[in-house]
């Protein structure tokens, strides 16, 4: 779940997750944030992402069990049963494994909630946090990220950090950290998976 936040101001940093090397399978803390932000990757991400995109492209409005946060002409959160997209299961398994290492807990003591964030050309995601309930860690996994489809923005105290995302990469951050996504200025949809980790 998400909670709207007031505007934030401060210095701005821009970070790209690109490069030829894939993100590590084990989470590592990134040094460009004062907040506790981690990055990790997913084995066989290209094949898995292709299957997720194909499944989502074949869905209709009625396939989603619910849609929430109607802002700027679109529902920002699309919820669907994980069994409807089998390719999402390794993403959620890796999210739990990474979260367990970050939190210092057993994966069996954690649960993983998720939703799809499908952003068409000209659309964005409003500023929000994820700390409404018992979340211990929040994150995003990038599935389909066309060039110029919108940076993730973290409002990290006095700093505003713009992160150019990369398909196949997870970012994990504290649920209370305000964040948003820039306008998709590409001509293609941008697909990511929002993640909340809480106690089982």
């Amino acid at each position: 779940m998400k909670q709207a936040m007031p505007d934030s101001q401060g210095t701005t940093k821009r970070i790209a997750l690109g490069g030829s090397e894939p993100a590590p399978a084990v989470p590592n803390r990134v040094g460009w944030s004062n907040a506790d932000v981690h990055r990790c990757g997913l084995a066989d991400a290209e094949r898995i992402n292709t299957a997720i995109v194909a499944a989502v492209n074949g869905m209709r409005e009625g396939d989603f069990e619910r849609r929430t946060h109607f802002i700027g002409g679109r529902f920002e959160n699309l919820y669907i049963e994980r069994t409807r997209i089998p390719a999402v299961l390794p993403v959620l398994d890796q999210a739990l494994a990474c979260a367990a290492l970050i939190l210092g807990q057993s994966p069996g003591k954690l649960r993983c909630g998720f939703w799809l964030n499908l952003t068409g050309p000209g659309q964005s995601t409003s500023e929000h946090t994820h700390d409404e309930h018992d979340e211990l860690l929040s994150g995003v996994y990038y599935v389909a990220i066309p060039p110029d489809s919108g940076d993730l923005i973290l409002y990290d105290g006095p700093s505003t950090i713009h992160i150019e995302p990369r398909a196949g990469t997870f970012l994990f951050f504290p649920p209370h950290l305000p964040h948003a996504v820039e306008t998709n200025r590409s001509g293609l949809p941008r697909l990511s998976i929002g993640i909340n980790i809480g106690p089982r």
Side-chain angles (χ1 to χ4, degrees):
M1 301 297 282
K2 316 194 296 191
Q3 184 174 354
M5 296 293 296
D7 290 340
S8 301
Q9 295 181 2
T11 60
T12 299
K13 297 180 190 176
R14 293 195 175 272
I15 308 293
L17 296 182
S20 59
E21 292 299 315
V26 174
N28 61 343
R29 191 179 189 284
V30 292
W32 32 257
S33 173
N34 293 321
D36 199 16
V37 177
H38 291 79
R39 174 187 179 206
C40 67
L42 176 69
D44 205 13
E46 187 173 343
R47 181 188 63 80
I48 292 167
N49 289 352
T50 298
I52 293 171
V53 169
V56 171
N57 286 345
M59 289 179 180
R60 292 177 291 217
E61 189 176 297
D63 291 328
F64 298 102
E65 75 180 74
R66 65 190 169 102
R67 301 176 300 158
T68 65
H69 298 82
F70 188 76
I71 301 170
R74 78 176 182 101
F75 288 98
E76 293 187 351
N77 292 10
L78 303 173
Y79 293 89
I80 191 161
E81 283 292 329
R82 59 189 70 200
T83 55
R84 298 291 303 275
I85 309 178
V88 83
L89 298 178
V91 174
L92 303 181
D93 287 345
Q94 176 68 347
L96 275 175
C98 291
L101 291 170
I102 294 166
L103 296 169
Q105 296 194 26
S106 164
K109 294 185 177 179
L110 300 172
R111 59 172 169 72
C112 180
F114 79 101
W115 60 94
L116 304 178
N117 192 312
L118 184 61
T119 311
Q123 298 176 335
S124 62
T125 300
S126 59
E127 184 179 343
H128 62 280
T129 64
H130 290 203
D131 58 346
E132 290 181 327
H133 300 295
D134 60 353
E135 294 86 354
L136 301 173
L137 189 67
S138 293
V140 59
Y141 174 73
Y142 295 109
V143 180
I145 308 297
D148 205 22
S149 60
D151 290 354
L152 173 68
I153 308 169
L154 301 178
Y155 299 101
D156 185 15
S159 299
T160 301
I161 302 171
H162 290 244
I163 304 169
E164 182 183 343
R166 179 180 178 183
T169 300
F170 293 89
L171 284 176
F172 292 98
F173 45 86
H176 64 270
L177 185 67
H179 56 283
V181 180
E182 289 182 322
T183 300
N184 180 353
R185 293 185 174 85
S186 79
L188 298 168
R190 177 188 197 274
L191 178 61
S192 62
I193 299 174
I195 297 166
N196 276 339
I197 305 292
R200 186 176 288 280

